[in-house]
Amino acid sequence: MLERIESYFNNTLSNEERQLFETQLANDTTLANEVAFYLNTKIAARENAKEKRKQEFEELRKKLAKNNKIRLNGWITGIAASVLIAFITWVFVQKNGVNADEIADVYIQEHFENLPVKMDGSTDSLQMGLRFFNQKAFNNAQSVFEEMLERKPDSAEVLKVSGITALKLGDYQKAVIRFHELGEQENLFANPGKFYEALALMKIKPLNKKAIEELLNEVINNDLEGKQTAIEILKQL
Amino acid sequence: MIFFARGIVSDDEILSGILGDSVLKRATENKLYEQFAYLMKDATFKHQLSEDEAASLYSDTILAVIENILNKRFEGKSSLKTYLFQIFSNKCVDFLRKASTNKMSVYKTESIDDLLVAVPDETKSILQKMVSENEVNILRTKIKQIGEKCQQMMMAWSEGLADEKIAFEMGYQSAGVVKTSRLRCLEKLKALYKQI
């Protein structure tokens, strides 16, 4: 029944089917209840999505306040030092608009919020590190992963999560190293190493545009993991 | 003002970014938030709001502007700055009015009009009566209990994202798989909801 309701709201029913649906809706309590559930659910999900986005904006506000950007955004900064700083910034920035750093931030925020943990309460080191990560205890997580890498330096999974943790800690150079090692590995079913390495490079100033472009093109040309996003990012670089 | 060009994004860039693909969309939304964030500070002086109140109203404003851009309600007759400022001012005034008359409502049900665009008036009035703030609140809690993947999918669906895009975003094989999975999530939610 939900499928039929969805088809009605998506406007994919034929005229006869629509009319039948509308007549039935006025007389059939079961259908009416189902429709009520469908509509209330869609609104509830949208409210949850908005709530989540508001929380993300709140984090952004804190970050802005920390960087003192809000004060800079008005007309009050007319002094020579600000002009000089703005000029230097302008010289280094190739184009206006949303920049690489911001695109990387969004990707990191959206994709590396939580890492999947086995729910069986297993106590192996990787799971322990992942649990630290999900509790946002990134330093603890990184210690666990580094210990594991000392024992087995070529572990693809640990290289990946250690690189992601380094991104979270703002240690972008380390993230680049980890992802580079991962990207070099062959015979993996899916290897996001090159794409993640480009992502980490996008956070390092001054921007090494050439290296990022090379990596992203490699991801695209070899059909590696992250291909679609790589195409999007290249358009913005 | 050319020296400040790095931080400023033009209206056209914001509009195309918000209507663009997901990663760019989020980054542009953040940029929009950042670009006019000084309005929050202004509101604390002008309307005597606390920082948190101004921030909450400002976030609501940004969300409203994004929604209006997506629904093509923003027609570009004024600049985005003027448009956003107007919505923000109205929200501040509404907030103060509600606070002063002690009618502050914590929750405001989302208008269902967007969901009923293609529905004839007679049926629309039936459907409008079906939406209940109480039920929505219960469902909001229940949605949080149906697993991360289902939650994510339902949020994307509620925002009007096409199944093809959801498939790409969430790594599903096709739009068809997304549809089947979503219906399964809805059934799961219904079972939870019926337990009440």
Side-chain angles (χ1 to χ4, degrees):
Chain A
M1 195 184 282
L2 280 171
E3 194 169 358
R4 186 175 167 224
I5 293 170
E6 181 153 279
S7 301
Y8 175 77
F9 286 107
N10 288 346
N11 218 357
T12 53
L13 292 179
S14 67
N15 279 344
E16 294 75 31
E17 285 170 333
R18 279 189 77 78
Q19 277 174 5
L20 180 67
F21 184 94
E22 283 160 7
T23 316
Q24 216 178 327
L25 184 66
N27 306 305
D28 181 345
T29 325
T30 314
L31 178 65
N33 285 339
E34 288 287 309
V35 171
F37 169 77
Y38 180 88
L39 284 176
N40 284 323
T41 298
K42 197 157 191 178
I43 292 168
R46 196 188 288 188
E47 289 290 314
N48 283 0
K50 279 189 175 179
E51 182 185 78
K52 185 169 175 266
R53 198 70 183 108
K54 267 187 91 166
Q55 281 165 4
E56 288 165 0
F57 282 146
E58 184 56 24
E59 279 169 31
L60 183 61
R61 179 173 76 105
K62 284 177 187 156
K63 199 174 136 193
L64 284 174
K66 206 173 163 189
N67 296 342
N68 219 3
K69 275 191 176 176
I70 292 175
R71 280 201 298 155
L72 282 172
N73 220 338
W75 290 83
I76 52 169
T77 49
I79 54 171
S82 300
V83 172
L84 184 62
I85 291 165
F87 178 69
I88 292 165
T89 310
W90 176 73
V91 167
F92 278 102
V93 172
Q94 299 87 337
K95 59 176 281 191
N96 292 343
V98 179
N99 62 32
D101 181 32
E102 289 159 344
I103 295 175
D105 273 346
V106 171
Y107 192 93
I108 293 164
Q109 191 183 23
E110 283 196 346
H111 292 80
F112 303 145
E113 189 57 32
N114 280 298
L115 297 176
V117 181
K118 280 184 193 163
M119 300 305 284
D120 58 3
S122 57
T123 51
D124 69 56
S125 299
L126 180 61
Q127 297 304 315
M128 192 168 77
L130 292 173
R131 283 193 198 100
F132 276 134
F133 182 97
N134 291 341
Q135 290 159 9
K136 305 207 186 306
F138 301 122
N139 280 315
N140 293 347
Q142 193 64 297
S143 305
V144 173
F145 299 143
E146 285 186 348
E147 231 172 76
M148 292 179 76
L149 285 172
E150 268 176 36
R151 291 198 300 270
K152 198 167 181 274
D154 60 348
S155 166
E157 188 57 28
V158 184
L159 282 171
K160 183 173 98 173
V161 291
S162 174
I164 293 172
T165 311
L167 279 181
K168 286 286 193 182
L169 286 166
D171 190 350
Y172 304 121
Q173 298 289 358
K174 185 181 275 180
V176 168
I177 294 167
R178 294 280 188 262
F179 292 141
H180 185 78
E181 286 173 37
L182 175 65
E184 292 297 296
Q185 293 195 12
E186 291 171 0
N187 305 323
L188 293 177
F189 176 67
N191 190 341
K194 302 268 181 206
F195 176 61
Y196 287 176
E197 187 184 346
L199 211 60
L201 279 174
M202 283 159 73
K203 294 292 301 173
I204 296 173
K205 300 283 172 1
L207 200 66
N208 188 344
K209 207 175 158 191
K210 191 166 169 267
I212 297 168
E213 279 176 347
E214 272 174 19
L215 281 166
L216 293 176
N217 279 321
E218 214 177 322
V219 171
I220 296 164
N221 297 336
N222 296 321
D223 206 13
L224 298 175
E225 207 168 307
K227 183 183 169 185
Q228 287 304 324
T229 314
I231 294 170
E232 283 179 36
I233 293 171
L234 268 181
K235 283 185 210 160
Q236 297 304 314
L237 275 177
Chain B
M1 284 304 288
I2 194 164
F3 294 148
F4 295 103
R6 185 233 177 276
I8 306 289
V9 181
S10 72
D11 282 8
D12 284 346
E13 282 175 309
I14 290 176
L15 295 178
S16 62
I18 287 175
L19 294 166
D21 287 315
S22 150
V23 175
L24 176 62
K25 178 175 180 284
R26 291 275 154 149
T28 310
E29 288 172 3
N30 288 351
K31 194 75 189 171
L32 175 68
Y33 181 95
E34 189 180 325
Q35 191 148 306
F36 302 107
Y38 62 92
L39 289 175
M40 283 187 270
K41 202 88 183 159
D42 293 351
T44 59
F45 293 116
K46 194 174 164 193
H47 300 289
Q48 298 288 302
L49 295 170
S50 73
E51 277 190 19
D52 287 344
E53 287 165 347
S56 175
L57 292 168
Y58 182 69
S59 292
D60 286 340
T61 302
I62 297 292
L63 289 170
V65 169
I66 292 166
E67 202 168 308
N68 289 349
I69 291 172
L70 291 171
N71 292 332
K72 315 271 186 222
R73 275 195 222 114
F74 172 71
E75 294 168 345
K77 286 178 184 164
S78 63
S79 70
L80 258 180
K81 182 183 173 182
T82 309
Y83 186 69
L84 192 145
F85 177 76
Q86 196 59 54
I87 294 179
F88 184 55
S89 298
N90 290 343
K91 282 191 185 290
C92 290
V93 171
D94 279 355
F95 176 86
L96 290 171
R97 198 177 293 148
K98 279 171 188 166
S100 67
T101 53
N102 213 10
K103 284 181 187 167
M104 176 65 192
S105 92
V106 182
Y107 174 81
K108 186 169 175 278
T109 306
E110 181 64 33
S111 156
I112 66 161
D113 291 347
D114 292 343
L115 304 177
L116 306 178
V117 176
V119 176
D121 287 347
E122 201 179 318
T123 311
K124 199 179 272 184
S125 63
I126 298 174
L127 295 172
Q128 277 162 341
K129 283 177 201 150
M130 290 178 176
V131 173
S132 137
E133 186 174 319
N134 187 33
E135 300 304 303
V136 168
N137 280 334
I138 294 168
L139 282 161
R140 286 187 67 182
T141 314
K142 295 290 173 195
I143 289 171
K144 290 175 183 166
Q145 297 168 14
I146 55 170
E148 185 68 30
K149 205 98 179 159
C150 270
Q151 263 191 77
Q152 230 181 310
M153 178 183 287
M154 289 181 64
M155 284 199 282
W157 162 70
S158 74
E159 288 180 313
L161 218 64
D163 286 349
E164 290 79 11
K165 277 200 170 181
I166 299 178
F168 167 64
E169 294 282 311
M170 296 184 65
Y172 284 94
Q173 275 184 332
S174 66
V177 178
V178 170
K179 189 180 173 186
T180 312
S181 307
R182 184 180 55 252
L183 290 172
R184 220 173 276 152
C185 291
L186 279 168
E187 292 294 351
K188 199 170 161 186
L189 178 68
K190 195 163 46 167
L192 258 179
Y193 177 66
K194 278 184 178 170
Q195 282 174 8
I196 305 166

